[in-house]
Amino acid sequence: MPTVKSPHADQGAPPRTPDLEPVGRADHSHARTMRPGFLAKLVLMAVVDAIGVYCLLAAWNADAWGIFAAMLVLLVAANWVYFTRRALALKYILPGLAFLLVFQIFVVVYTGFVAFTNYGDGHNGTKQQAVDALLVQDEKRVEGSPSYPLTVVSQDGTLGFAVIDPDGKTLVGTAEDPLTPDDATVESDRITAVDGWTVLSRQDILAQQKAITALRVPISDEAADGSIRTQDARVGYVFKSTLTYDAAAGTMTDTESGAVYAPNDHGEFEAPDGTTLPIGWRVTVGFENFTTAFSDSRYAKPFFSILVWTFAFAILSVLTTFLLGLFLAMVFNDTRMRGRKVYRMLMILPYAIPGFVAALLWSGMFNRRFGLINNLFFGGAEIPWLTDPWLAKFSVLFVNLWLGFPYMFLICTGALQSLPSDVLEAAKIDGASKLRTWRSVIMPLLLVSTAPLLISSFAFNFNNFTLIYMLTGGGPQFEDASVPLGHTDILISMVYSISGIDGSAPKNYGLASALSIVIFVIVGGISALAFRQTRKLEEIN
Amino acid sequence: MRRSIPVVAAALGLALTMSACSSDSSSGSDATTAPTTADTASASATTPTDGGTLTIWVDETRKKAVQDAASAFEKETGAKVTLVQKNFEDIKADFIAQVPTGKGPDITVGAHDWLGELTKNGVVAPIELGDKTSEFEPVSIQAFTQDGQVYGLPYAIENVALIRNTKLAKEAPKTWADAIKAGKAAKTKFPFLIQTSDQGDPYTYYPLQTSFGAPVFEQNADGSYNPKLAMGGDEGIAFAKWLAKEGEKGTKNLDTAITYDNATAAFAKGESPFIVGGPWMLDTFKGMDLSIDPVPSAGGKPAQPFVGVQGFYISAQSQNALLANDFLTNYMSTDEAQTALYEAGNRPPALISAAEKASSDPITAGFAAVGKDAVPMPSIPQMGSVWQFWGVTEAQIISGKVDATKGWNKMIDDINKAIGS
C-alpha cells in the first residue's frame, strides 16, 4: 500500500541511505568536522544569530518583553539544536515548530484569552488609559477666555509658566502658586527673560515635554476659575475640568454634581444611579460572550439558516469538486488519449489564480446588467445571478467548483497513477466488469489516499471566508432578518459581520473570538470523527 | 550538502519570524525610545542635541505634502519626523488597536467620521487651535468637534456634487425632473448616473434623501448630532416611495446594477450627461469638459450632501504631545502646507486662505460651493449601526424586492434596536 511513513531519522536511517549510518556518528560527526557542509551551516547560523540579536535589541528598545523572551528562547534553541549531536530529529522539526508556535499556537491561545474578555469598542485599553482619556476629554477650554502668549520657565527645578495677559501685563506662576504679576522682558509679544527665573530653551522644553503638558497653573486662588495649560509651549489657554480621579479609591468624581463613579464588573465607571462614563477598559467577563452569542433573539433565526447553508456549502463544494476532479482524472488517465499533458496543464490553470482575485473576477462577470455571462451566453437577459437567493447560492457553488476542481483533479490523478497494477490485473483475470472493478477495487483504494484530503477540504470550505466575502459579500440580504446578514453568509462571514469588524456594528473582539472558538469546535469535531472513519477504511484494505 | 537543507530552512524560517517582529516594533521603537533619551538628558541637566522624534502615519497620496512640512519643521526645531506610509483603509483599525499598546504613532491622518469611535476608545487627544480656529472653514472645525472640544486639525473638505458633461447638457438642472428630461434629450445610454450596487450607497444618495427633508440624525443647535434617528416619519417614507418609483420596477432611472466602476466608466465614455460623485472621480474624467453643480432636488427641499473632512489626529498616548501639537498647529495649518495637501489630494483645503487660492480652479470652486450648503457626516458612535441597514434597505427598495413603506419602517426599527443593544 502506498502509505507515507514519517522518517524517524534519529533512530538511524533505513539501510538504503548508507551515508546516514551510525558509523559516521561515532567519531567524526557531520556536525563537528570542518567539511564544506559544516562551514555553510556556520555561516547560516551566524546570519540567523545576527538577525536574532538585532531583533532582541529592537524588542528591548520597544519594551516588548514578550517578544524579547520568545525570541531569546527561539534563538538559544536554534543554536543548541544545530550544534549538538543529540538532536538530529529536532534539526528537521525546529523550523516548522517555530512557525507553529508563532503563527498557530500563539494565535489560538490569544484568541482563547480574548474570548473571555470584553475587548472591543469602549473597552480598548487598560484602566489607567481609560482614566487618562476621560480626564483629557473632560478638560475644556473656558468659553470666551483669551489666549496667553506663554514661555516656560523654571526656578530651582520647579517648572512654571510666564504669560502675557490681554492687558499686556506679565504674570508668572507654578502648579502651587497661582499667576502673579512679575516684571519680565518682552520682545515681540513673547517673554524672553524673567527676574529670578530661567527661561527654558527649546531643547529643555522638549526634554521635559511630559511634565510641561501636564502642568496646570491656576489663574487665581479660586480653583473654579480654571488653570492655564499649554499644548505647544508657545500659547497657553484657560481650562477647567469637572472630573477628578481618586487614585487611592480608584473612583472618578464629578465635582459639579458630586456623583462618585466606581469601577464595575464590566470595566466601566458607574455611578450609584447606574449611569456610566463613556470610556471603559478591558476586563475578563467569563462566559458572557458565549451566552450573548446564543441568547440574542435577533440572531436566532438567521443563525439556523446560516448554519444549514454552511454545511450544505461545505459538503456540496467537496462533493462537486471531487466528482468533477475524479471524472476528469479518469478521462485524462486513459493512455489512448493524445496530448494528455497539455490538457492536464490547462486543467490546473484555475488553481494557479489566487482565490480572491478569481472571486472578484467572477463577481464582475455575474453582474446582472454588465456581466460577461449574461451578455455573452444569455443574450443580454438580466439574470440576477448574485441577487436572487437561490441563484446566488448556485453561483457560489459554481465558482467554488471552478476554483476547486483542479486540486481534486491533481490528487486523483496522483492516486490513480499509484494504483498497483497487479490488483487491477487480478480483477481482470477474475472477469470483473469495468464498472465492478471501478466500484470494488479502484474507488476503495482511491479513497484511502484521498479521504483525509477530502476532510481537510471540507474544513477549508467550512471557513471559506475569502470566496463569500469577495463574490457576494454574504448577499442577497435576508429580507426578514433584523441583522445585516444574507442568504450566502456562512458562519465565519457571519462572525465577521456581527462582531463589527466590517464596520457595520460596534466592534466586539471578545464576541468574535468566542464565536470563532465555537466554529473551531464544530469543524474540529467533525474532522476528528471523519478521520476516525477513514482509519477504518484503511483497515479494510 | 545533505545536512545544510534543514539549516537553510531554519535560517529562512527564523529570518522571516524575526523580520516579522522587527517590522512590528520599528514603528513603535521610534516613539518609545525618544522619551527615554529625553528623560536621561533632563536628569543629567545637560543640553541635549536631540530635538525629539515624531512618528506620523500618512497615506500614499498625502505623504509628499506632509514630508515637505516635516522638513521645514525639522529644520526649524531640530526634531526628527518619521513618516510611516499606510493604507488609508487600515489606519483607523490599526490606530485604535495600537495606541493602547504604546506602539501607535504620535500623529495620524484620518477622517472626521472616525471621531466617535476614536474618543469612545480613548485613543485621541484634543487639540486647542486657539485663535487659529477662525482661519478654518467653520464646517471643518464643526466636524472635528465633540462635546465642545476639537480633536483634529482639518486639512481638506470633500463632498459629492453633480458632475455634468457640458457637451451633453448645457444647463445645470434644478430638479430631478429637469435632470431626467435633459438626460433623455441628450439621447445617451443613461439619462442620469448614480452609483448604487446591491449593498446600496446611502452616502451618495444622501443629497436626494435630504431633498425630502429626512436627515439621518437630529441635529443640535450647534450643528452636532443627537443619536436620535430623524429619517423615519412621512419625509423618510416619501423618499422611500420615490426610490421605488424611480427604481427597477418603475422608471428604471435608479438601478442596483450600477456600481462605482460601471458608473464612472459609463460617464467617462460619454454615456450620460450627469453623474453624482466627488473629486476622487476626477482622475477618471481627465480631458472632459465638466461643470460642478448642486445635486438636483428630488423632493423639493435643498439637496444637502454629506461633507467629509480629512484631518490629523494626535494619539492620546503620545510621548511627544508637545512636539505633535506644535507641528500640527504651527506647521500643518499654514497656507503652504494646506495648499500642498490640496495639490496632492485634489480636495478643497479646510484653511480659508488656501481654499480661496484653490478656488481659482473652477472644478474645485464648484465642489467647494456645493460643500457650503452641505452637512457634516455624523461622527457619533451610533452612526456605525446605521450604514449597513440603510444601504441595503435602499437597494432592496430600488430593486423592488420589498415594499417601500414596509421596508423603510423595518429599517428604522432595526437601526433603533442595533443602537439600543
Side-chain angles (χ1 to χ4, degrees):
Chain A
M1 287 300 94
T3 48
V4 181
K5 279 220 173 77
S6 63
H8 288 284
D10 56 339
Q11 291 302 313
R16 281 175 294 155
T17 53
D19 54 348
L20 270 180
E21 267 179 290
V23 183
R25 267 168 143 197
D27 296 307
H28 37 88
S29 156
H30 294 298
R32 300 286 168 95
T33 47
M34 294 296 268
R35 290 205 201 159
F38 179 73
L39 287 178
K41 175 166 92 175
L42 215 56
V43 170
L44 284 168
M45 282 311 290
V47 172
V48 169
D49 283 347
I51 298 169
V53 168
Y54 168 77
C55 214
L56 283 177
L57 286 176
W60 178 286
N61 277 334
D63 292 328
W65 300 116
I67 293 178
F68 184 84
M71 216 47 249
L72 195 67
V73 170
L74 271 181
L75 202 59
V76 171
N79 280 290
W80 179 76
V81 164
Y82 289 106
F83 286 107
T84 183
R85 280 194 235 176
R86 279 167 302 187
L88 189 60
L90 268 179
K91 283 178 182 146
Y92 290 88
I93 298 170
L94 185 82
L97 209 60
F99 275 121
L100 186 75
L101 275 173
V102 173
F103 294 117
Q104 302 270 313
I105 309 282
F106 171 73
V107 176
V108 169
V109 170
Y110 189 70
T111 308
F113 166 69
V114 171
F116 292 95
T117 69
N118 60 355
Y119 181 29
D121 265 352
H123 300 274
N124 195 42
T126 63
K127 184 179 177 193
Q128 188 54 48
Q129 285 167 343
V131 169
D132 290 347
L134 280 169
L135 291 177
V136 77
Q137 290 187 14
D138 172 67
E139 190 172 36
K140 284 173 201 150
R141 187 173 167 197
V142 176
E143 247 174 82
S145 66
S147 57
Y148 296 81
L150 175 144
T151 305
V152 183
V153 294
S154 79
Q155 189 177 46
D156 308 328
T158 314
L159 286 173
F161 289 151
V163 299
I164 309 173
D165 78 358
D167 306 330
K169 272 194 294 182
T170 54
L171 308 152
V172 179
T174 66
E176 274 78 44
D177 302 313
L179 288 179
T180 43
D182 204 337
D183 282 338
T185 320
V186 177
E187 278 171 33
S188 58
D189 287 339
R190 290 192 68 80
I191 294 174
T192 51
V194 191
D195 285 343
W197 296 80
T198 323
V199 171
L200 262 62
S201 70
R202 179 95 194 143
Q203 267 76 22
D204 291 335
I205 289 173
L206 287 179
Q208 306 183 49
Q209 47 177 314
K210 279 230 110 174
I212 291 167
T213 46
L215 182 62
R216 306 281 182 271
V217 176
I219 54 168
S220 73
D221 292 329
E222 285 290 324
D225 287 347
S227 49
I228 296 255
R229 65 177 270 213
T230 184
Q231 285 179 332
D232 58 1
R234 296 173 200 259
V235 190
Y237 301 99
V238 184
F239 279 84
K240 257 192 341 195
S241 62
T242 52
L243 280 179
T244 52
Y245 180 60
D246 184 346
T251 57
M252 280 281 195
T253 311
D254 187 334
T255 50
E256 251 171 33
S257 67
V260 177
Y261 293 84
N264 65 11
D265 290 342
H266 281 85
E268 288 167 318
F269 283 113
E270 189 177 331
D273 64 357
T275 54
T276 52
L277 294 178
I279 305 174
W281 58 95
R282 276 168 90 165
V283 289
T284 51
V285 291
F287 282 91
E288 199 169 276
N289 288 321
F290 293 90
T291 51
T292 334
F294 292 102
S295 62
D296 194 325
S297 61
R298 290 179 303 155
Y299 293 115
K301 200 170 152 203
F303 178 80
F304 183 71
S305 39
I306 284 172
L307 188 72
V308 170
W309 162 241
T310 309
F311 273 103
F313 166 70
I315 293 168
L316 285 174
S317 290
V318 175
L319 267 183
T320 51
T321 51
F322 180 67
L323 289 180
L324 182 61
L326 179 64
F327 172 73
L328 290 171
M330 298 196 43
V331 170
F332 290 112
N333 210 32
D334 197 317
T335 40
R336 287 170 298 177
M337 191 172 206
R338 283 179 164 203
R340 284 184 300 157
K341 280 192 179 150
V342 179
Y343 287 125
R344 275 186 186 154
M345 217 166 64
L346 288 175
M347 283 290 145
I348 297 168
L349 269 185
Y351 196 42
I353 302 174
F356 67 94
V357 176
L360 267 182
L361 284 176
W362 278 101
S363 104
M365 291 199 283
F366 273 128
N367 185 299
R368 183 162 47 85
R369 179 178 284 185
F370 305 95
L372 181 84
I373 294 183
N374 278 345
N375 285 333
L376 203 62
F377 300 115
F378 294 94
E382 298 200 347
I383 301 169
W385 292 110
L386 296 177
T387 46
D388 176 80
W390 290 103
L391 278 176
K393 284 179 173 158
F394 169 78
S395 307
V396 166
L397 285 170
F398 177 78
V399 173
N400 211 17
L401 174 63
W402 185 82
L403 277 171
F405 86 86
Y407 172 71
M408 294 296 180
F409 171 70
L410 270 183
I411 61 171
C412 287
T413 304
L416 282 176
Q417 286 177 347
S418 67
L419 284 186
S421 53
D422 50 345
V423 184
L424 296 178
E425 220 166 290
K428 206 182 247 174
I429 292 167
D430 286 350
S433 68
K434 281 234 154 139
L435 193 70
R436 179 75 203 209
T437 317
W438 189 79
R439 196 162 62 85
S440 305
V441 181
I442 298 182
M443 267 316 273
L445 288 178
L446 198 70
L447 276 178
V448 171
S449 49
T450 53
L453 295 167
L454 295 185
I455 297 167
S456 68
S457 169
F458 171 82
F460 172 79
N461 280 310
F462 200 86
N463 282 335
N464 198 342
F465 178 78
T466 321
L467 175 74
I468 303 293
Y469 184 72
M470 289 295 178
L471 188 62
T472 63
Q477 301 276 321
F478 291 123
E479 273 117 43
D480 51 353
S482 296
V483 276
L485 296 171
H487 289 278
T488 55
D489 262 317
I490 55 175
L491 284 175
I492 192 76
S493 66
M494 180 186 94
V495 169
Y496 183 74
S497 170
I498 71 173
S499 59
I501 297 168
D502 64 350
S504 64
K507 274 191 285 300
N508 191 338
Y509 295 114
L511 183 64
S513 302
L515 285 169
S516 318
I517 288 175
V518 172
I519 293 177
F520 170 75
V521 169
I522 297 177
V523 177
I526 291 171
S527 302
L529 274 177
F531 273 120
R532 184 169 291 183
Q533 290 298 318
T534 58
R535 211 171 298 149
K536 276 188 206 148
L537 209 66
E538 233 162 291
E539 279 158 14
I540 293 170
N541 293 281
Chain B
M1 280 318 282
R2 172 187 294 274
R3 200 57 68 95
S4 61
I5 292 166
V7 182
V8 173
L12 271 177
L14 281 169
L16 279 174
T17 323
M18 287 159 184
S19 60
C21 71
S22 67
S23 66
D24 226 2
S25 53
S26 62
S27 62
S29 60
D30 298 318
T32 35
T33 45
T36 359
T37 42
D39 288 345
T40 43
S42 71
S44 57
T46 53
T47 317
T49 47
D50 185 15
T53 318
L54 266 187
T55 308
I56 304 177
W57 283 0
V58 285
D59 59 319
E60 195 189 352
T61 324
R62 254 62 67 165
K63 191 171 181 192
K64 172 84 181 43
V66 176
Q67 184 73 64
D68 293 344
S71 317
F73 181 65
E74 285 180 327
K75 214 182 276 167
E76 283 175 43
T77 62
K80 190 178 161 349
V81 180
T82 314
L83 296 187
V84 179
Q85 185 183 321
K86 294 189 71 97
N87 280 331
F88 194 78
E89 302 83 60
D90 299 338
I91 288 180
K92 181 173 73 166
D94 286 1
F95 191 71
I96 291 175
Q98 292 193 21
V99 164
T101 67
K103 293 191 194 304
D106 298 294
I107 297 173
T108 182
V109 297
H112 87 271
D113 55 304
W114 305 354
L115 182 57
E117 222 175 315
L118 297 185
T119 52
K120 187 154 194 249
N121 287 314
V123 292
V124 278
I127 300 174
E128 184 52 60
L129 293 172
D131 304 335
K132 286 221 165 74
T133 310
S134 57
E135 294 172 20
F136 288 90
E137 295 280 359
V139 69
S140 69
I141 296 289
Q142 191 195 335
F144 273 108
T145 304
Q146 182 180 305
D147 211 6
Q149 299 212 74
V150 179
Y151 284 88
L153 181 93
Y155 67 80
I157 299 174
E158 60 186 26
N159 51 269
V160 297
L162 183 71
I163 305 175
R164 173 164 55 99
N165 186 336
T166 49
K167 281 212 181 105
L168 296 172
K170 296 274 174 271
E171 270 172 59
K174 285 269 176 305
T175 66
W176 177 260
D178 291 351
I180 297 298
K181 217 168 104 194
K184 293 231 163 97
K187 298 220 178 343
T188 47
K189 191 170 169 193
F190 305 95
F192 193 94
L193 281 169
I194 178 163
Q195 65 195 66
T196 308
S197 91
D198 305 332
Q199 304 294 313
D201 197 324
Y203 173 81
T204 311
Y205 270 77
Y206 196 63
L208 296 169
Q209 183 176 336
T210 48
S211 77
F212 285 87
V216 54
F217 281 118
E218 286 178 8
Q219 254 177 315
N220 297 327
D222 64 347
S224 62
Y225 284 93
N226 181 336
K228 243 185 177 170
L229 280 186
M231 57 180 170
D234 294 344
E235 291 87 358
I237 301 288
F239 171 62
K241 283 188 172 151
W242 176 82
L243 287 179
K245 183 171 79 89
E246 299 288 330
E248 291 161 31
K249 300 242 163 102
T251 60
K252 300 194 179 172
N253 290 323
L254 308 176
D255 189 339
T256 52
I258 309 273
T259 63
Y260 176 86
D261 294 333
N262 302 147
T264 47
F267 187 80
K269 276 189 273 177
E271 291 179 348
S272 174
F274 307 111
I275 185 170
V276 179
W280 49 88
M281 288 181 176
L282 294 174
D283 279 346
T284 329
F285 305 150
K286 271 199 185 122
M288 300 174 76
D289 289 325
L290 303 175
S291 167
I292 309 300
D293 309 308
V295 178
S297 167
K301 298 203 171 75
Q304 293 178 295
F306 273 141
V307 152
V309 182
Q310 312 253 312
F312 294 94
Y313 288 108
I314 295 183
S315 156
Q317 301 294 324
S318 169
Q319 303 292 318
N320 308 287
L322 212 134
L323 213 54
N325 273 288
D326 193 19
F327 177 66
L328 288 192
T329 50
N330 299 319
Y331 290 82
M332 289 313 297
S333 63
T334 59
D335 211 45
E336 299 82 55
Q338 297 255 330
T339 305
L341 284 165
Y342 157 68
E343 279 159 4
N346 252 330
R347 270 58 157 186
L351 192 76
I352 293 172
S353 61
E356 277 163 2
K357 251 191 258 167
S359 290
S360 59
D361 172 31
I363 300 283
T364 305
F367 277 111
V370 175
K372 287 265 189 291
D373 298 321
V375 285
M377 189 152 53
S379 61
I380 51 178
Q382 286 81 0
M383 193 62 197
S385 307
V386 175
W387 286 116
Q388 196 157 1
F389 292 110
W390 197 10
V392 166
T393 308
E394 286 186 1
Q396 284 175 344
I397 293 175
I398 291 168
S399 64
K401 273 192 202 150
V402 300
D403 174 66
T405 316
K406 260 208 297 212
W408 195 261
N409 282 334
K410 180 167 181 300
M411 172 193 84
I412 301 285
D413 272 3
D414 290 345
I415 296 175
N416 278 329
K417 267 187 230 158
I419 290 176
S421 69

